[in-house]
Amino acid sequence: MQKFARAAFGTLQRPLARAFGSADNPLNHLGALTIFFCWIVLISGIWLLIFFRTSVTDAFASIEYLTHEQWYLGGIMRSLHRYASDAAILTILLHLLKEFAFDTYRLKRWFSWVTGIPLVWMVFILGISGYWLVWDELAQYVAITSAELLDSLPIFTDSMAGNFMTAAAVRNRFFTLMAFLHLIGLPIFLVFGIWLHVFRLSRPSINPPRRLMAGTLISLLILSLVFPAVSQDPADLALAPQSIELDWFYLHVFPLLQIWSPGIVWVILIGVSSVIFIAPWLPPGKATKPATVDLDNCNGCERCADDCPFGAIEMHPRSDDLNYEYEAVVDADLCVSCGICVGSCPTATPFRSHGTLIPGIDLPDLPVAHMREMIKKAAEPLSGSKRVLTFSCEGSTTADTLSKAGEAVVAVRCMGQIPPPFLDYVLSRNFADAVLLTGCSDGRCRYRFGAEWSNQRVERKRDPRLRKRVDDALIARAWQDFPQYQGNVLKQLQALRESLPEVAADSEDEASQ
Ligand code: HEM
Ligand code: SF4
Ligand code: SF4
């Protein structure tokens, strides 16, 4: 199932990347887009609130006023409110599916997943309670059906459905309570829930790129003008609504009550949520070993703490006699063993020839000393003047494709694990004539910032920077890991090889270290 979801995202990725460009591809900003939709819902909601009458007798008329008399502003705000809420459901579900597809929710990354489930419930309850407030035929259907659902739970002593037996039974107090829940109570919980959801991540991406925001807002505005949101006939509890148009984004559960009893519907809802909730532990995975700090080699420069995408490193006052202010301390519960901190450590350099190669921070199960050995081993069979050594992410499709094609591949945990001196090492010690860096496609790095930090280090925009003496033309980058696009990686490798001069420099037997 995960494979299928990944293939589906791979198929969607390319046309969207072509249409929007890689940086603005909506698939790379699903969480941030959801927050953007929440902003639109909040701002349009404030406008609606100004004119909304929270009494059961006046609610419908106040919304009608906004929709028709004040169509140029209130009407647009109402439509934006509706369509942004619908869009949020779409992006939330795609976001959930994407995190599942790319396996970024298991082991120590369970927190965002588990805190995401209540967010889905909250968004649905918010949407459903919003439909009550219009007090049209749809609201009547939603109110009565929700009340039946709630009555089947052993929580309320009084019957909720009893509130909707007659028009007189729908009390203003009850209506005002719903308005309070929808307009104030639930939004506050939602904001807190979103904060908690991204709390453990470093630099969470909460704003989509500006162009994507502008394009999304314009599309919603056009939709609002072409298909303005309107009410259905006013609620009349003396009559059963004949035909209602459902908002399938929020109300798809309601028709199930015509097939099954409320009890069965609850079992399905709670059952599905529970399975999703425990998904990070199904089946239990084997945790990788967290990064470890070697104080003798740590100068407290803070780069690892700055680069760690999971907020797993804190700088503490020095606990030894070395003359530095700070030392790096890894929180083993947060560390997902991506190795990105290793790539940022200035002491992780393969040129060190004395003693064992121990940097300030390292991965116990894939240390930099081993990476250096892997380079030597992978480069051994290379010959001629167009030798290319590829660095790829461990277990990636690209690593498999290239290995099968007989290429020299060094597979590391994440591209961000490679300290730039390693690239210099490969070229200056003549292990290869050029280097290809390849891994998860841009914007969906399995470890969030591996591709981005790696790009910035190679472009000399982020420390540790690639040394100036390294010829840029000898380092190619191909961030494409979807099985569908392996042809592109091979093409890029071919292009890199063709760009190399026919005759190698007279340095053949220098590959010694
Ligand atoms: C209101 C709904 C939601 C919002 C606004 C939201 C927002 C976000 C944001 C902004 C991020 C950070 C992205 C980044 O910087 O890499 C994120 C990450 C994540 N979200 Fe959500 N999310 C929502 C619902 C969900 C749901 C329903 C799930 C799954 C059950 C989920 C699972 C995750 C996971 C697994 C991560 C990544 C954590 C990691 O990389 O370790 N989210 N979300
Ligand atoms: S990057 Fe290396 S030297 Fe700098 S604080 Fe982290 S472990 Fe220490
Ligand atoms: S291995 Fe990754 S998660 Fe662990 S401390 Fe280093 S950068 Fe952070």
Side-chain angles (χ1 to χ4, degrees):
M1 193 163 155
Q2 211 171 24
K3 247 185 178 174
F4 177 75
R6 198 176 294 198
F9 270 101
T11 309
L12 274 177
Q13 188 88 5
R14 179 140 59 174
L16 286 175
R18 270 207 195 122
F20 293 90
S22 179
D24 292 335
N25 187 340
L27 285 187
N28 296 337
H29 305 282
L30 291 167
L33 266 177
T34 308
I35 295 179
F36 179 59
F37 290 132
C38 289
W39 277 115
I40 298 180
V41 171
L42 179 75
I43 293 166
S44 54
I46 290 174
W47 188 261
L48 300 183
L49 179 62
I50 295 172
F51 295 91
F52 181 65
R53 300 271 170 274
T54 53
S55 79
V56 71
T57 42
D58 300 335
F60 182 82
S62 67
I63 302 263
E64 283 296 280
Y65 164 78
L66 278 166
T67 310
H68 299 292
E69 311 284 312
Q70 206 199 85
W71 65 268
Y72 49 89
L73 191 57
I76 290 177
M77 287 293 187
R78 178 186 183 187
S79 302
L80 279 179
H81 197 71
R82 158 114 35 116
Y83 293 134
S85 312
D86 288 347
I89 289 290
L90 201 67
T91 48
I92 290 174
L93 295 182
L94 280 173
H95 172 57
L96 182 156
L97 208 63
K98 190 180 166 200
E99 301 301 332
F100 167 73
F102 294 107
D103 212 25
T104 50
Y105 66 101
R106 289 168 55 71
L107 299 169
K108 294 181 189 165
R109 297 172 83 168
W110 60 271
F111 189 80
S112 294
W113 181 268
V114 164
T115 51
I117 316 287
L119 289 182
V120 180
W121 275 82
M122 265 188 253
V123 171
F124 271 110
I125 298 173
L126 254 170
I128 292 168
S129 60
Y131 276 107
W132 285 40
L133 299 184
V134 181
W135 208 235
D136 59 356
E137 281 189 332
L138 177 62
Q140 182 179 339
Y141 167 78
V142 169
I144 294 173
T145 321
S146 326
E148 279 169 16
L149 254 181
L150 291 172
D151 279 344
S152 69
L153 294 175
I155 299 176
F156 304 102
T157 43
D158 292 341
S159 158
M160 294 279 284
N163 284 304
F164 305 106
M165 297 302 278
T166 61
V170 187
R171 276 176 242 113
N172 268 336
R173 241 183 348 161
F174 183 65
F175 203 76
T176 312
L177 176 73
M178 283 314 295
F180 172 79
L181 258 186
H182 180 78
L183 302 168
I184 298 169
L186 284 168
I188 289 175
F189 273 110
L190 187 67
V191 170
F192 173 72
I194 294 176
W195 170 80
L196 192 69
H197 182 63
V198 296
F199 165 74
R200 278 171 64 155
L201 297 175
S202 161
R203 298 184 172 85
S205 152
I206 51 170
N207 293 315
R210 277 196 195 153
R211 272 192 310 199
L212 184 58
M213 279 198 272
T216 310
L217 184 60
I218 292 169
S219 310
L220 287 179
L221 273 171
I222 294 173
L223 192 65
S224 302
L225 286 167
V226 178
F227 299 106
V230 288
S231 306
Q232 300 181 28
D233 287 341
D236 183 350
L237 290 169
L239 301 170
Q242 290 305 306
S243 70
I244 339 162
E245 277 175 43
L246 282 189
D247 175 342
W248 287 97
F249 288 93
Y250 281 91
L251 306 175
H252 49 268
V253 167
F254 287 63
L256 294 181
L257 285 159
Q258 273 155 10
I259 313 171
W260 294 305
S261 69
I264 294 181
V265 171
W266 275 121
V267 169
I268 294 173
L269 291 178
I270 295 174
V272 171
S273 301
S274 308
V275 172
I276 299 177
F277 196 82
I278 56 169
W281 297 277
L282 291 177
K286 192 170 160 272
T288 41
K289 291 187 181 145
T292 49
V293 174
D294 182 78
L295 274 191
D296 289 344
N297 286 287
C298 171
N299 60 26
C301 69
E302 300 186 35
R303 279 183 202 162
C304 54
D306 202 36
D307 278 8
C308 172
F310 301 94
I313 302 178
E314 275 186 8
M315 299 309 297
H316 287 191
R318 207 72 200 185
S319 63
D320 59 10
D321 303 333
L322 290 184
N323 193 20
Y324 300 112
E325 205 172 339
Y326 297 114
E327 66 187 39
V329 176
V330 176
D331 182 338
D333 289 336
L334 296 181
C335 173
V336 306
S337 315
C338 64
I340 290 177
C341 50
V342 180
S344 66
C345 184
T347 64
T349 161
F351 292 103
R352 288 165 60 171
S353 51
H354 300 297
T356 336
L357 169 50
I358 302 177
I361 194 160
D362 211 353
L363 287 189
D365 49 5
L366 187 49
V368 286
H370 183 58
M371 268 164 62
R372 187 166 69 177
E373 292 313 308
M374 286 200 296
I375 291 174
K376 290 179 189 170
K377 195 159 174 242
E380 242 168 38
L382 292 177
S383 61
S385 58
K386 291 177 178 280
R387 298 163 304 153
V388 177
L389 186 88
T390 301
F391 284 99
S392 183
C393 306
E394 211 177 50
S396 73
T397 324
T398 315
D400 290 349
T401 312
L402 294 178
S403 300
K404 277 185 198 142
E407 296 293 341
V409 181
V410 172
V412 292
R413 188 70 38 84
C414 166
M415 280 296 99
Q417 188 189 357
I418 304 167
F422 272 73
L423 309 181
D424 185 9
Y425 179 72
V426 171
L427 297 171
S428 63
R429 293 289 165 95
N430 198 26
F431 286 110
D433 301 300
V435 172
L436 175 71
L437 301 180
T438 175
C440 317
S441 65
D442 211 0
R444 59 143 292 264
C445 170
R446 182 169 159 68
Y447 296 110
R448 302 184 68 232
F449 301 138
E452 198 176 336
W453 290 172
S454 180
N455 270 332
Q456 292 182 12
R457 290 169 191 160
V458 170
E459 287 162 13
R460 303 180 181 92
K461 291 177 183 160
R462 185 178 195 86
D463 286 328
R465 286 151 211 252
L466 183 63
R467 279 180 79 170
K468 284 206 179 117
R469 72 176 182 187
V470 179
D471 181 353
D472 290 343
L474 301 182
I475 298 186
R477 285 165 279 161
W479 306 119
Q480 283 162 342
D481 192 36
F482 289 110
Q484 292 95 320
Y485 309 148
Q486 294 308 297
N488 286 356
V489 178
L490 290 169
K491 264 191 216 152
Q492 250 164 302
L493 180 63
Q494 192 56 26
L496 176 63
R497 200 161 265 143
E498 278 165 16
S499 72
L500 296 171
E502 258 333 306
V503 186
D506 325 321
S507 49
E508 258 149 48
D509 296 321
E510 276 175 37
S512 52
Q513 281 287 326

